[in-house]
Amino acid sequence: MGKRNRAALLPTNIPQLQNLIKRDPLSYKEEFLQQLRHFESSRVIFELKPEELSTDFQDLINFIAQVSPCYPEETKEFPDQIIALLSKHYQILNAELRRTMVQALVLLRNREMISSTSLLSLFFTLFRCRDKVLRDILYNHIVNDIKVSNQKAKNNKMNKTLQGFMYTMLTSAEGAAGTGSENAIAAKRSLDVCIELYRKNIWNDAKTVNVIAHACFSPVTKIMVTALQFFLGNNEDDGDSEDEDELPDIKALQHKQNVSKKTKSKAKQMEKMVSTLKKKQRSKKKAETFNFSALHLLNDPQGFTEKLYTHLASSRERHEVQLMLMNLISRIIGVHRLTILAFYPYLQKRLQPTQKDVTQIIAITAQASHDLIPPDVIEPVIQTLANNFVTEHCAAEVMAAGLNGIREVVVRCPLAMEATLLQDLTEYKNHRDKGVMMASRSLIGLFREINPELLKKKDRGRSAVMNMRDHKPSMYGESHNDGDLEGLQLLAENPDENGEGEENWDEWEEASEDEEDEQGGWVNVSDDEKDLNIKLSDDEDSGSEDEDGNKKPKTKRLTANKERRLKKKGLLPKDDETEVVKEEDEETKAKRLQAEAERKEKLAAAQLLATTKILTPADFAKIDALKLAKQADQKLNPTRVSSGKRPAPTDENQAEGEVSIYSILGPRKKTKQDYKERMESIQNGREGRDKFGSRKGSTERGSTTNKEKSKGKNFMMIAHKREVREKKKMSLREKQIQLHAHIKKHKMMK
């Protein structure tokens, strides 16, 4: 009787029928067909009033979506029917019913019962719905589905179709009235999908980047800001960062297993940890996927930047958005070395100490500078920085920011600096403020390397004066290309020790012998220079010994005692000192010439290697290993500098072409804290610390008392004590009195 009743209730009890069908589809096929006919009739009734919520219809959709793999032939039209309902009535459907339909389609897609292209096109359209929960469901499914479709190989056909559909979604938002319109919401979500897929290294092609670049001109501020943040942000692969959890500490687990009791569960845990570590190591050895910066994938950087500047010049957006536009324009100019001459007068108007975010504007000005811009365009910008920031009536922080900004601009465009202005700026090298002093001295150090002729003689330095004869400042548009390929010098310095490729290395040895002959030629030149210096010194000595000459008439009047006194006071140089200085000059010149010869030799070796050998993957792997070893050596020995130039400070998190604000601000003295900041730091220091004061009456103690410790001891350890022996001799009355006193004491303590 119970079985008959259960069979009679099956048409109404859908969850139970679903469970039974999954266990035995053939036995319950009639019941399923009955529910399928019920769904067809309910769908026809629902289309008459689609805005109403029908719980029966909702349950039927869930039921058929769950059991459809058991009856694929009978349910082959079911996905198309749900897609047709959503496409036609998605705006007026009940939110809960619409969400149920979407989840049913996601379930069918996960079971490969529906194609990805048709479903994702519908989901992009459903972004127009004013339902935030639904949009989150759609966003997560679209990203995951495209990721799975491109996991084994790139599905170019699907990718091109969806990218074109996203472009139409973005263009549909151009006529939107505001950020709250349906097209604007759908375009914003479509843009988020594009950016997320690019960051996950799935859609990392030029078409995706140019679709996002089109969004930079959107009239909807939210869409434009999202696209600008994409180009300004760090576009590294953030998708795999979630999977890269902290690796287990294998050594700690092995030590724990050796010390503690050995069990099967701990052994299994150890095996699991080892397999996880091996899996991580295998994933690291996969083929490297190169992810270029999005700025390099723009189709027309010059046209895109000009259009961006036109948009900026006529924009009425708030200050933060304009700042982002300026930052992007300057970044593209610096990366692609473009020429947008109207951009610099626009920046020049905003270089005022009272301007909001002026430090970032100075950094933007430096980013937009490079050596292909005419110096006449950059000169007014530098002059404006000097006039508005580097004056005595400005604060020390303002002066330091101005000097650092000028330095960052001049590093990229050295020809824009005038000698008169530079000599005025170097006068701040002895300023009382440390930030201003360091900024001025960094300017002196920079021009000692690039063009010491612009500095005053006293600021040029000894090494710069000696190198001035060989140094030639670069002209406008001139480029120095030594023809060196990256890593080839390291490969030439570290030849392969194996037997493979011995013939090629024999040729390399012969070439190195020729270069040694060339090096000998360089040594002869240095000897000639020494001879020249000796002749000049002889002329000077002969001039000083000429008693009848008119050049130094005072030397004849000095007596020996007077000359000795003047030398003691330091007013005249000693004979030994002049000889030491001359010897040092000759040594430094010889070292410089030797270093120059070594550099030429390494360069010739690298060029010979590039023209005589075809590099194999093993050679590239060796170059990478040598680069890593060189970087490690530089970190371990920071004082060892291979070249005479100062290493530029780099930031690992800094994007390409970006100028850090901290390089503009420079070192700043810590300002005095006010009362609020002092109290905040005091409260932060008290976190995790016990309250100060007496512990009287508190139940929390660091340890137990001796009385409590004695309770846990073995009886034979305390049997000899007086308290134990007297307790044995106590009468029943004494024990009762002691117990009552104990109870009373505890009651009083409560």
Side-chain angles (χ1 to χ4, degrees), residues 407-408 412 646-652 654 658 660 662-663:
R407 185 196 69 231
E408 292 293 335
R412 292 159 176 80
R646 297 168 297 159
T650 56
D651 186 6
E652 293 180 358
Q654 192 170 325
E658 183 181 4
S660 174
Y662 299 105
S663 64

Side-chain angles (χ1 to χ4, degrees), residues 601-614:
E601 182 183 353
K602 291 178 182 177
L603 182 60
Q607 290 176 347
L608 181 68
L609 188 63
T611 55
T612 58
K613 182 179 179 180
I614 298 174

Side-chain angles (χ1 to χ4, degrees), residues 254-271:
Q254 287 175 345
H255 176 72
K256 188 177 179 181
Q257 191 178 13
N258 292 333
V259 172
S260 61
K261 187 179 179 181
K262 296 174 178 61
T263 59
K264 288 184 178 180
S265 60
K266 289 181 181 178
K268 287 181 180 178
Q269 186 181 5
M270 185 67 188
E271 290 176 2

